[in-house]
Amino acid sequence: MNRSGSDIAKKIRTLHMLLGGLLCLSIVLAPRSSLAGPYSLSAHGDSLAGVRRDVDGLASPGPYVTGNCAHCHEQHASMGGSEPQPVNSGPSPFALFAPGFVTAVKEKPYQQADLFCFYCHASPGSYQSGLLENFDYSHVFGGYAGGPTSIFEAFNQPLGGVNASYHNLYDIWSYAQKFPGFGASSPPCDACHNVHRARRNKAYPQDPAYTAISRPTEHESLWGDVDGERMTNYSGAYQAPLHFGSRTTYEPGGTSESVADGSKVPDYNTFCLDCHKEKIYSTSLRRDVVAIEWKLSGGDQLGTGDKHGANAYTVGIQMKKPYDELVMPPGGYLLSCLDCHEAHGSPSAFLVRRSVNGEILGGTLAQARDGKSWAYLCGRCHQDDYHVGGSTDINQVNRWRTVHHGGGSGANVDVPYQVQGQQGMSCGECHELSPGPQPIGCGYCHNHGSYCNGTNPGTLPNGKVIPAPIDGFRRTF
Amino acid sequence: MKFEKRCRNSFRWWVACFSGLVCLSASFVAVTAQAAVTGRCSGCHTMHYSQDGRVLTEWGQSGPYEALLTIDCLGCHMGTNVGGTTPFVFSSEAPNYGATGTTSDTNTLAGGNFYWVAQPGGDTRGHNVAGLMAGDGALSMPPGFSGDRAAADGSIPGGGSWPSGQQVTCAGTYGCHGSHAQSSLASAVRGGHHNGLDGAITAPDALPAGGFRMLVGIAGYEDADWEYRPTTSTHNQYKGVAGGTDNSTISSLCARCHGQFHSASSAGSPWLRHPVDYDMGDTAATSDYRSYGGAGVNAYRLDAPVASVDVGNVLTNVTFAGDTVVACVSCHRAHGSPNHKMMRWDYAGTIGTGCAACHTSKD
């Protein structure tokens, strides 16, 4: 009986092995259908909305279905024995139909041929069949209509605007050389996007599973598509800003309050800091862009982080909805980079968005540090004199005396110079006095990494010296 | 008596030995000379292109033919494959190709079939061979022709230049098989049918008979039935060597006409064209290419075959040590396929099918 049972068991094992082998063999031999993995799930590999270089009079590689590799890659650097448009005298890296990036172009205005991606991501003149539109973050996720209709336009907007800014492509390309997988022939877009994985977030703004970004340091996977890669990483410190024109819905895409906790937003901070944790030279600005310390707390001491990041306000500040809660997160709120900035380009300086926290900017934010244009951004979340005092005087709009010198509600106790003259100084020592005390340009004190202690920011161009604030030092951003 | 008995025993011993040798030699011949045509001479030749004062109906009617043949290439190689001893490369009815031409219900061979390119609008589905179908409506010469790549016998297709409108031929000056030094197709493959080898051809000489499939100077392991319904243990083993300078690889054959596509000689990162004669074993150990044939399994894929330096045996699995060399035939069928650009699979009609055999992270 034992031997018989053993024999049966052996036969069953043998049968299992045979079946297993057959299964493996069938998998190996089975005809393969279209991809089921990352590429077919990506925006470019989408069978309906993916790449399709097929425009009369411009270019067509042949009878390839939407999403097919041939719309970007020409395996033999030609199609049907000749090079289709754009004819550029030879093969291109990665077997693309045009060079990835013309590195001789250091600044805008960009031409469509300067960057491979622009061949399709331009409007008009796109090589992509049908209408391809890509709006900016303010539009897609913030809900503010208008703005550039293509990425090409976003980088170039507006050509006549002196304050318009863009993510300098040459600087990205140059800096990204340090990242694995990025090389001299890589289009700069590859630093932030894995073109074979990036998904159509524009079609699903409320669902970060459709994220289009990949970290430069983790380029083989998407970023933000799974838990642990979202703004909920910050222990409840993140509060999504309002959706444009609404008091009850939030970014991204008008989500409800219950999910305005960052669970729908990729952790853009970690993403951006892959590069911006270091000082980077800006060809456009002719200066270094400061290294950003967003994840350190530590209070007002020098060497701590930005207060808009993990660092906290000093004592108390007066904010607009939704940051006006009586009980704020321990350590205050932490913002996402894209709460204020665009990724590609902006009509304002420093890639500042067209709309922030549900409101349009009061005007174009200028690059110059003087003046009050920077407050067009601040005023989207912080209360100016008009709001803090419940004023009906329109002249109090974008006026910031209270936040700097006190007055109004006693809750606004973070003021650096609480009562005029209290520090033994007169108005004229800091302010131009004609025709009356004039505001000091926001940009002198408030920018990433800024710190005020009597030495910093020091003497202004007009000869006025910014004194040390109450308690002697203050992180001012 | 004793002597007689000894003689009888000795005779039996010799008979036994002789019989053994006969069997051994027979099996040896069967293995090593299977590709050579066998049978009576009259099966292929006629002395006067006449039998009993007439041309036989089974002969070609446009003779007389070179080398006293009764018919041209097509006469023997047109038909439907059933696994016999003659490879049919051109069928009058649509062959069964399935998705990749490799499954057990198919009836095409390793090179595919010229059937599809002969169909209306089929120019992109194979080589437009002279005598089989009209010339390509779009291509007046081989795309990527460089005219500077010679076969082992020193011959170059077209002598280095390709006249506009000249169609490719089965063999000869403008052909793939045999020597390009011969304008006569029969002369080009001379000796190939009589002395053709089989199995492993690791050191091809400069004669048609000494090369893989009568391709002069090309090495490879010839599958006995030309990959009729191949399996992972019965298939051609193509020669491939990283670097692009070895002229015995299967891709170097293609490069004789499509030299500008053979970009391995200008290898580097990034590629300007899809590489051939490039070993995926030269990629990082963590790269997605190392999952060819399944991660950790690395089975040889019949639908996307890779070439190897050693063609002494047929591989069922690959090791990324000189046996995962990308070749032209990794993607294309040399004769033709039902797919655009004579691809092994329906590349144009799908998203990434076939590509993911190597570019595994895309799937």
Side-chain angles (χ1 to χ4, degrees):
Chain A
M1 283 296 287
N2 284 343
R3 182 188 291 175
S4 175
S6 173
D7 286 347
I8 291 171
K10 272 184 183 175
K11 284 177 180 173
I12 290 174
R13 277 200 300 273
T14 304
L15 184 63
H16 282 177
M17 288 172 68
L18 281 171
L19 287 173
L22 280 172
L23 181 63
C24 292
L25 195 63
S26 67
I27 291 170
V28 170
L29 296 179
R32 303 298 170 108
S33 58
S34 292
L35 300 182
Y39 179 66
S40 65
L41 297 175
S42 75
H44 292 133
D46 189 283
S47 61
L48 296 176
V51 287
R52 188 171 184 84
R53 177 172 44 128
D54 188 12
V55 178
D56 286 345
L58 276 181
S60 174
Y64 299 98
V65 298
T66 299
N68 188 280
C69 316
H71 293 294
C72 295
H73 298 281
E74 294 170 354
Q75 315 302 356
H76 301 297
S78 71
M79 290 284 181
S82 61
E83 191 180 7
Q85 291 285 348
V87 177
N88 52 18
S89 304
S92 300
F94 307 110
L96 294 170
F97 68 73
F101 181 53
V102 179
T103 56
V105 178
K106 302 290 196 295
E107 296 180 72
K108 81 171 190 181
Y110 296 112
Q111 306 300 314
Q112 199 171 6
D114 292 341
L115 179 71
F116 178 78
C117 311
F118 284 159
Y119 279 104
C120 288
H121 289 284
S123 179
S126 174
Y127 278 39
Q128 173 75 8
S129 177
L131 180 64
L132 173 63
E133 289 183 320
N134 290 108
F135 296 104
D136 61 9
Y137 193 92
S138 294
H139 185 134
V140 176
F141 299 96
Y144 179 46
T149 59
S150 72
I151 295 171
F152 178 60
E153 189 184 350
F155 275 94
N156 271 340
Q157 67 176 309
L159 291 176
V162 295
N163 292 306
S165 56
Y166 60 105
H167 222 147
N168 185 291
L169 292 171
Y170 175 79
D171 291 344
I172 295 172
W173 174 85
S174 180
Y175 185 85
Q177 297 299 322
K178 67 191 294 183
F179 296 120
F182 194 96
S185 300
S186 299
C189 308
D190 282 3
C192 299
H193 304 284
N194 182 327
V195 296
H196 297 120
R197 294 178 185 270
R199 305 191 71 189
R200 294 185 75 228
N201 58 0
K202 70 172 187 176
Y204 310 92
Q206 297 185 6
D207 188 351
Y210 288 86
T211 181
I213 56 175
S214 294
R215 287 180 64 180
T217 53
E218 292 180 18
H219 212 53
E220 282 306 310
S221 61
L222 290 169
W223 180 250
D225 57 329
V226 295
D227 290 341
E229 297 178 356
R230 297 181 184 160
M231 290 304 294
T232 39
N233 280 353
Y234 298 95
S235 307
Y238 183 73
Q239 164 63 51
L242 291 170
H243 197 241
F244 188 78
S246 172
R247 304 285 291 174
T248 56
T249 59
Y250 300 82
E251 294 185 3
T255 55
S256 66
E257 185 170 358
S258 63
V259 290
D261 57 356
S263 58
K264 300 296 183 185
V265 183
D267 178 3
Y268 290 117
N269 299 341
T270 297
F271 173 77
C272 298
L273 289 173
D274 265 1
C275 296
H276 287 285
K277 66 184 176 188
E278 293 182 346
K279 182 173 66 178
I280 302 173
Y281 182 75
S282 167
T283 302
S284 311
L285 299 175
R286 272 68 168 169
R287 64 169 173 81
D288 289 328
V289 173
V290 299
I292 294 174
E293 182 46 76
W294 205 248
K295 295 190 175 182
L296 270 184
S297 56
D300 282 304
Q301 299 283 353
L302 187 63
T304 58
D306 282 347
K307 289 181 168 181
H308 290 89
N311 207 355
Y313 54 92
T314 302
V315 179
I317 50 176
Q318 288 187 307
M319 303 296 296
K320 289 181 174 179
K321 185 179 172 61
Y323 307 107
D324 59 350
E325 297 294 321
L326 289 176
V327 180
M328 288 198 277
Y333 290 107
L334 168 144
L335 302 185
S336 155
C337 303
L338 292 190
D339 288 349
C340 297
H341 297 285
E342 289 289 345
H344 299 144
S346 160
S348 284
F350 313 120
L351 293 165
V352 168
R353 287 173 47 172
R354 295 181 300 119
S355 73
V356 170
N357 194 27
E359 294 182 320
I360 184 174
L361 259 62
T364 300
L365 190 144
Q367 195 179 116
R369 291 184 165 197
D370 58 355
K372 296 196 296 181
S373 73
W374 289 29
Y376 293 142
L377 171 64
C378 312
R380 303 287 67 78
C381 298
H382 293 272
Q383 293 186 7
D384 59 11
D385 289 355
Y386 180 82
H387 285 89
V388 78
S391 174
T392 56
D393 179 5
I394 199 69
N395 292 318
Q396 302 300 309
V397 172
N398 203 25
R399 189 170 185 269
W400 299 90
R401 179 182 182 280
T402 304
V403 74
H404 289 101
H405 294 289
S409 168
N412 199 35
V413 292
D414 265 4
V415 291
Y417 311 102
Q418 193 167 21
V419 179
Q420 55 186 331
Q422 187 185 47
Q423 292 160 283
M425 299 175 69
S426 65
C427 302
E429 291 187 54
C430 299
H431 296 274
E432 297 283 358
L433 293 178
S434 175
Q438 295 298 297
I440 296 168
C442 312
Y444 293 122
C445 297
H446 302 290
N447 48 70
H448 283 292
S450 61
Y451 179 77
C452 185
N453 64 352
T455 303
N456 292 302
T459 304
L460 305 185
N462 63 359
K464 304 290 185 182
V465 178
I466 303 297
I470 295 170
D471 298 330
F473 49 83
R474 189 72 64 90
R475 290 304 305 262
T476 49
F477 193 78
Chain B
M1 281 297 287
K2 198 172 183 180
F3 173 75
E4 190 180 5
K5 186 176 180 183
R6 197 182 304 157
C7 285
R8 271 204 305 271
N9 287 342
S10 177
F11 177 74
R12 285 179 189 143
W13 185 84
W14 279 108
V15 167
C17 284
F18 182 73
S19 301
L21 279 172
V22 167
C23 290
L24 189 64
S25 63
S27 63
F28 180 74
V29 168
V31 169
T32 59
Q34 194 170 334
V37 173
T38 56
R40 291 182 299 174
C41 303
S42 60
C44 299
H45 297 282
T46 172
M47 297 302 104
H48 307 291
Y49 190 56
S50 172
Q51 186 71 39
D52 299 329
R54 62 187 175 88
V55 174
L56 299 183
T57 55
E58 64 264 34
W59 293 353
Q61 302 302 301
S62 304
Y65 298 95
E66 297 170 335
L68 307 182
L69 290 167
T70 59
I71 202 164
D72 58 11
C73 305
L74 196 57
C76 287
H77 293 289
M78 184 170 186
T80 301
N81 292 297
V82 292
T85 56
T86 301
F88 296 119
V89 297
F90 189 31
S91 301
S92 58
E93 295 182 347
N96 186 359
Y97 187 82
T100 62
T102 58
T103 49
S104 60
D105 57 346
T106 57
N107 60 4
T108 52
L109 304 179
N113 197 288
F114 290 109
Y115 169 82
W116 294 283
V117 70
Q119 303 308 305
D123 278 350
T124 69
R125 295 191 165 88
H127 280 109
N128 298 57
V129 178
L132 273 61
M133 67 284 293
D136 192 297
L139 301 173
S140 60
M141 61 186 298
F145 183 77
S146 59
D148 58 355
R149 292 175 179 267
D153 64 352
S155 64
I156 300 175
S161 63
W162 195 282
S164 179
Q166 169 65 50
Q167 281 186 257
V168 66
T169 53
C170 298
T173 307
Y174 302 103
C176 300
H177 299 279
S179 173
H180 311 300
Q182 300 291 332
S183 58
S184 157
L185 273 57
S187 297
V189 297
R190 184 175 183 179
H193 286 93
H194 290 175
N195 305 312
L197 303 177
D198 194 10
I201 300 172
T202 57
D205 56 25
L207 297 173
F212 177 83
R213 306 300 186 203
M214 289 185 235
L215 303 169
V216 172
I218 302 301
Y221 189 104
E222 292 189 348
D223 181 46
D225 60 3
W226 302 273
E227 287 200 356
Y228 176 73
R229 298 177 179 174
T231 68
T232 52
S233 59
T234 59
H235 58 79
N236 286 337
Q237 187 66 42
Y238 297 108
K239 176 75 178 283
V241 178
T245 57
D246 189 312
N247 287 330
S248 69
T249 68
I250 190 69
S251 296
S252 74
L253 169 81
C254 310
R256 291 181 204 162
C257 289
H258 306 285
Q260 291 172 6
F261 295 169
H262 197 253
S263 60
S265 57
S266 58
S269 181
W271 295 103
L272 299 177
R273 296 182 174 92
H274 195 287
V276 290
D277 275 343
Y278 175 79
D279 187 5
M280 292 193 289
D282 290 337
T283 61
T286 54
S287 79
D288 60 336
Y289 305 105
R290 298 304 186 100
S291 293
Y292 170 88
V297 179
N298 302 126
Y300 180 93
R301 284 186 61 159
L302 296 166
D303 59 341
V306 284
S308 58
V309 175
D310 179 6
V311 291
N313 295 289
V314 170
L315 299 178
T316 55
N317 293 84
V318 295
T319 63
F320 299 95
D323 58 5
T324 43
V325 180
V326 181
C328 302
V329 294
S330 297
C331 304
H332 297 284
R333 294 284 187 187
H335 295 158
S337 82
N339 303 314
H340 185 63
K341 300 297 181 187
M342 49 207 285
M343 294 290 285
R344 284 177 166 267
W345 54 84
D346 185 12
Y347 169 63
T350 58
I351 302 172
T353 294
C355 304
C358 300
H359 300 275
T360 60
S361 70
K362 307 295 186 296
D363 188 8

